[in-house]
Amino acid sequence: QKQIKEKININKHQCRRVYEILRLQITDRSNSEQYYKFRVFVKNRLNGPYQKQQRDLDRLRRLGVMDHTELSVATPPTPKEDRIRELQQIYEELESEYQNIIEKLATD
């Protein structure tokens, strides 16, 4: 990824998306293990900002900057089931978008 990123001069986010599109294109969706690994790879990126926010909140709590009550008022916790559902919805939309790009590339 790094070599391609430097060669065609695109930013990290663009490079990651191109990589995900190409990886989806070669992923055999009938192979459940291969498709599972692809989904987890993408979902880890999608879940990254949420995980960073949780680490930041934990750090604030540990440092005593804000207590638990103030933190829950400032950023109400998202139930795990809701977060998983939201992540799945975002993933499905992204995969659909990637599939549209793959189809457009095939017709060009």
Side-chain angles (χ1 to χ4, degrees):
Q1 282 180 334
K2 187 176 181 179
Q3 293 170 338
I4 294 170
K5 178 181 165 273
E6 291 172 357
K7 187 172 184 174
I8 58 177
N9 196 26
I10 59 175
N11 68 41
K12 184 178 178 180
H13 179 72
Q14 291 169 323
C15 184
R16 177 73 184 245
R17 285 182 53 100
V18 168
Y19 177 78
E20 289 172 356
I21 291 167
L22 295 174
R23 186 167 172 184
L24 176 61
Q25 186 176 22
I26 64 168
T27 298
D28 179 6
R29 294 184 194 169
S30 62
N31 180 330
S32 59
E33 182 181 344
Q34 193 179 47
Y35 188 48
Y36 173 79
K37 286 179 181 180
F38 172 77
R39 288 191 329 266
V40 168
F41 180 78
V42 174
K43 286 181 181 180
N44 282 337
R45 176 183 64 83
L46 296 174
N47 201 36
Y50 175 76
Q51 290 174 336
K52 182 182 181 320
Q53 179 186 31
Q54 292 306 308
R55 284 192 307 270
D56 291 347
L57 292 174
D58 289 343
R59 190 175 308 122
L60 288 174
R61 195 175 301 119
R62 277 194 317 272
L63 294 173
V65 174
M66 297 176 98
D67 65 21
H68 186 67
T69 308
E70 291 172 322
L71 285 173
S72 37
V73 169
T75 55
T78 305
K80 186 175 181 175
E81 299 80 25
D82 290 348
R83 180 69 194 138
I84 291 171
R85 195 174 318 112
E86 179 183 337
L87 185 61
Q88 181 63 27
Q89 180 182 356
I90 293 169
Y91 170 79
E92 288 171 1
E93 291 170 3
L94 186 67
E95 184 178 326
S96 175
E97 180 183 325
Y98 285 178
Q99 190 58 45
N100 289 338
I101 292 169
I102 291 168
E103 290 169 7
K104 285 179 184 177
L105 289 172
T107 60
D108 287 345

